[in-house]
Amino acid sequence: MVQLAKGSRKSGATRRIYLSLRDQILSGVYDTGEKLPSSRALAGELGVSRTTVTAAYDQLISEGYIQVRQGAKPTVGFEGRHTCTRPESRPQDTTPRVSAYASRAMALPKNISPEQAVLQYDFRYGDVASSDFPKLAWRRALNAAVLAHRERLGYEHPAGSLALRRALQSYLWRARGIECDVAQIIIVSGSQQALDLCARVLVDAGSQVVLEEPCYAMARNVMLATGAMPVATPCDKDGMDTSRLPDPTGVALAFVTPSHQFPLGGVLPSGRRKALIEWAIAGNTYIIEDDYDGEYRYDVRPIPPLWMTGKGRVIYVGTVSKTLSPTLRLGYTVLPSTLVETFVRCKQITDRHSSSFEQEALASMIDTGAYESHVRKMRRLNAERRAVFLNAMAEAFGDEVDIVGTSAGLHIVAWFNCLTASDEERFAGCARQEGVGIYPISRLFASPTDQRAGFIFGYASMPVALIGKAVEKLVQVYRSKFWSA
């Protein structure tokens, strides 16, 4: 007799009958060739419609579990791929078989910020204040994009919305002095995808890649996951020390942040820029210029991008994560013309194209001037946050800390003169217990250091009123836990 769980309703009854019969066939309750009840008889037995039973039988027939002949009851099928006993359970290997890329990626440090507890005072770099987002302007632009008439909804060009690329072409000329063709601009899902595309297009496993030391961790991770061999090139107050670049022969590419070195804040001077370009030309290699916060300058004039003098060796990467929000996942890259087709083809394989509605909304904001108006507002707000933070740090710590990288961007680095690098994690842990998030700079070095303790402080996500309180809380932790050290 077919055993069916009680409480079956018409909705879902077909699947329950199917699963019940299938399990009984597999477990040997019904042997090969044995007859099953007719659909009419089984329907009466279970109190369901004959149509419900027939649908379950049809599924079993399609999978080869039963056979039906005209005028006869269904019988258990003779298909060799079906057995009449359950397979013996075998111990499962807990280690999945994955690619070399996945193995390398899994070996990297895990740092997924949404998995961490929310703190009252968090100096995490990269976050921006929710209150800063231009909600009304973005909603109007996005609504217009969604409501615009379209003949069809389909996949867009992998390079991105033509409207946005045209808007960015004009914006980059006005804001950064970059003159390029629309075809050289590719829209990406944040600058991280741009880095990943560069690695996929230009780097083979075992290739050398020049990275700054210290370096943006996710840039290093992209290269390590690809199987590249990073060459850490030290940075000082003026950015990457180009006198210490390796022989360019065999180097696939170099990653730099010349307008505001991350995290130390140095600006690459003209002599080093020239040396870096000549190095790339000599080695027939490319340079990734990550201009991650180029819109924020306080005490200095905007620095011209390396791309302008790059002689076709520079890949420029920009993003709206620091001006609008990292949640939008909108970025762009300006390529040498010789690389455009290759990047477009690889971008298509990666994700077809970035989200179309958001691209059109951003294009509208740029075209109407709303985006640049918002950038100017953010520059003023973050200049205020910066001033409040620097004043609070000076009052709380005095000459016990040295602060660098203050002239641009949305973060600074504070060096604690009485602490060493070995104290960083303990200090950060104690601060976190008191609700203050600070982030050790040693995590951004390729090798351990014996220098002073340093921490990256991002201030763009914190209301001005809380910045002073956060510093007060931090100095309390410092005095109580480390003053006697």
Side-chain angles (χ1 to χ4, degrees), residues 389-464:
F389 174 71
L390 292 178
N391 289 336
M393 289 291 286
E395 183 177 340
F397 293 100
D399 59 5
E400 295 175 81
V401 299
D402 291 331
I403 297 178
V404 299
T406 62
S407 62
L410 302 175
H411 76 280
I412 59 91
V413 170
W415 297 104
F416 284 72
N417 297 324
C418 296
L419 302 179
T420 66
S422 61
D423 296 316
E424 286 181 357
E425 294 295 343
R426 187 162 68 95
F427 188 18
C430 292
R432 180 167 286 274
Q433 290 177 356
E434 299 300 322
V436 183
I438 59 174
Y439 300 90
I441 198 171
S442 292
R443 298 173 183 175
L444 304 183
F445 282 84
S447 303
T449 67
D450 57 0
Q451 60 190 359
R452 296 172 296 174
F455 298 88
I456 307 167
F457 287 83
Y459 47 78
S461 65
M462 201 174 299
V464 171

Side-chain angles (χ1 to χ4, degrees), residues 253-272:
L253 56 81
F255 172 84
V256 294
T257 50
S259 295
H260 189 223
Q261 198 279 327
F262 184 83
L264 300 179
V267 176
L268 200 66
S270 59
R272 290 189 180 185

Side-chain angles (χ1 to χ4, degrees), residues 157 183 186 335-347:
H157 196 280
I186 293 183
L335 299 165
S337 56
T338 54
L339 290 178
V340 169
E341 182 60 25
T342 304
F343 268 72
V344 168
R345 296 283 294 276
C346 291
K347 174 69 162 62

Side-chain angles (χ1 to χ4, degrees), residues 9 19 40 49 171 176 196 237 247 297 302 318 344 346:
R9 298 180 182 272
L19 290 173
R40 188 186 302 277
S49 70
Y171 170 74
R176 303 297 283 131
D196 183 68
K237 63 180 181 63
D247 183 337
R297 293 286 179 274
V344 168
C346 291

Side-chain angles (χ1 to χ4, degrees), residues 75-152:
T75 58
V76 176
F78 293 91
E79 295 283 346
R81 63 178 181 271
H82 299 296
T83 61
C84 294
T85 58
R86 288 187 181 275
E88 294 182 5
S89 60
R90 298 178 180 176
Q92 296 294 314
D93 184 358
T94 57
T95 304
R97 295 173 59 185
V98 297
S99 68
Y101 174 90
S103 296
R104 290 189 294 264
M106 291 300 292
L108 297 171
K110 181 181 179 182
N111 183 25
I112 302 177
S113 56
E115 294 182 350
Q116 299 177 359
V118 176
L119 300 175
Q120 184 177 10
Y121 310 108
D122 199 347
F123 288 106
R124 179 182 297 280
Y125 171 75
D127 292 356
V128 296
S130 174
S131 59
D132 288 353
F133 186 73
K135 298 179 180 65
L136 293 179
W138 180 256
R139 185 177 69 179
R140 285 193 295 267
L142 190 58
N143 284 348
V146 172
L147 295 174
H149 174 72
R150 288 175 169 79
E151 293 296 333
R152 60 183 177 82

